[in-house]
Amino acid sequence: MMNRNRNSILIVDDEKLNIIALTHILTEDYTVYAAKNGSDALEIAAEYLPDVILLDVLMPEMDGFEVLSRLKSNEQTKEIPVIFVTGLNTPEGEAEGLALGAADYISKPYSSAIVKLRIRNQIQMLNLLNMTRHLSVTDQLTGISNRRDFDYRMRLEWERASRDRSFISLLLIDIDKFKAYNDSYGHLQGDSALQIIAEVIACSLKRSVDFVARWGGEEFAVLLPATALSGALSVAEHIRKNVEHAPIPRAGGPPTRVTVSIGVNSCIPEPETLGHEFVIGADQALYDAKAQGRNKASAYRGVLSQEPADDSETPAPSCDCGPACECGCQEGKECTC
Ligand code: GH3
Ligand code: MG
């Protein structure tokens, strides 16, 4: 059975003996795929997304340079590091490979130690890159997405909704009287509360496309693609109740609780618009929820909320909560749990 935690290598070479030799060197440490021509290599790379590709340069039909440039022009495969392994030992060949975006170049004849070390270098760089990417989009305290990731997702989903003429909804969630909570229990306890609230909000979202981020301080943002206002208000109410009932453990005392106020905005974005006013609308609704006494979800009803009287004008996706769905929705109807 394949070990999914192992890094994987794709060997591309038209000489069967070369594939056997490299497989022999690598199979102990890596999951190895092999392709004996360029078109098979492109297919395997797109399907299995290996961590590193070892690519022969001289192959009939499609040579290694062509394979590399096709890998680079495919969104899915363009970031996979490619190491040329070749007997074409000319400075021009090496320069051409590196100029096309090859990560490294191994000349034949090679030693197994060199092959292993060059691959290890690429894997180490890959791990570093993945860690940096993860850190750049993650909120350190709560482990959910950060504001930068939210802004990115918001742009994507806004454009998608505009293209598809479908609804998008946004919840802005703010912890009530959190300054007083910090003053009473201390900032470390406040940090624990933020961690628990983040988890409660994340667990309250049922669709895989729903997205939560820490907006900043004691505010969170939830993006609900393909969801109209009535559905968004149901999700907001579900979150509000879950937070209200979530015990926040405290050392040396009984568990504490906090409540949240939630501003909700929903619209079908007009083409060529930005989501800036939409966010301001949700913020305005949050302000209203606070003004109405807190621990409330309020909808923005300004010019950007263009929901028709009948939600069914935009078909909502079917519920994907499975049999455990709490709201009792039926297939084809919008899930509001
Ligand atoms: P309201 O109900 O009007 O939102 O009142 P509030 O006290 O929650 O609002 P205010 O804006 O006055 O205070 C926000 C507080 O959130 C102040 C700040 O100490 C706390 N806060 C923001 N970020 C963090 C954090 O990372 N950790 C902790 N412990 N507290 C934070
Ligand atoms: Mg607050």
Side-chain angles (χ1 to χ4, degrees), residues 167-171 222-229 232 264-267 278:
F167 276 104
I168 181 170
S169 291
L170 171 67
L171 318 183
V222 169
L223 210 49
L224 303 169
T227 305
L229 184 60
V264 183
N265 200 5
S266 180
C267 76
F278 179 64

Side-chain angles (χ1 to χ4, degrees), residues 174-175 177-179 182 187 191 214 217-218 290 294:
D174 184 288
I175 303 180
K177 308 272 187 194
F178 200 51
K179 186 171 180 329
N182 273 314
H187 267 78
D191 285 354
R214 187 168 175 205
E218 24 82 82
K290 293 279 184 191
R294 296 178 171 79

Side-chain angles (χ1 to χ4, degrees), residues 36-114:
K36 55 185 183 344
N37 58 55
S39 51
D40 285 359
L42 295 172
E43 259 180 48
I44 294 172
E47 186 171 350
Y48 295 100
L49 299 177
D51 294 303
V52 177
I53 298 176
L54 294 180
L55 182 58
D56 185 22
V57 174
L58 296 177
M59 294 188 292
E61 290 164 37
M62 198 189 298
D63 70 13
F65 296 131
E66 175 70 19
V67 175
L68 177 62
S69 59
R70 290 203 194 187
L71 286 166
K72 292 290 170 202
S73 60
N74 180 338
E75 209 46 47
Q76 277 180 295
T77 56
K78 70 177 187 189
E79 302 211 359
I80 302 174
V82 172
I83 302 176
F84 275 127
V85 183
T86 178
L88 185 70
N89 295 326
T90 62
E92 294 78 20
E94 184 167 349
E96 184 174 354
L98 294 175
L100 280 171
D104 204 350
Y105 203 92
I106 299 174
S107 303
K108 288 178 191 170
Y110 49 74
S111 77
S112 55
I114 289 287

Side-chain angles (χ1 to χ4, degrees), residues 153-181:
R153 280 293 274 271
M154 172 78 197
R155 227 179 8 256
L156 277 189
E157 294 299 347
W158 185 262
E159 283 167 12
R160 195 197 317 265
S162 167
R163 253 193 335 267
D164 299 350
R165 307 300 298 141
S166 64
F167 276 104
I168 181 170
S169 291
L170 171 67
L171 318 183
L172 285 185
I173 304 170
D174 184 288
I175 303 180
D176 296 325
K177 308 272 187 194
F178 200 51
K179 186 171 180 329
Y181 186 93

Side-chain angles (χ1 to χ4, degrees), residues 222-293:
V222 169
L223 210 49
L224 303 169
T227 305
L229 184 60
S230 57
L233 278 169
S234 300
V235 175
E237 190 54 19
H238 187 57
I239 291 172
R240 189 197 65 73
K241 281 191 190 141
N242 284 348
V243 171
E244 187 179 32
H245 295 119
I248 301 165
R250 181 166 69 95
T256 59
R257 283 173 210 278
V258 295
T259 60
V260 289
S261 298
I262 306 178
V264 183
N265 200 5
S266 180
C267 76
I268 297 174
E270 289 299 326
E272 311 295 323
T273 59
L274 300 171
H276 184 63
E277 284 178 58
F278 179 64
V279 176
I280 293 176
D283 202 32
Q284 178 64 50
L286 172 59
Y287 182 83
D288 291 346
K290 293 279 184 191
Q292 287 163 30

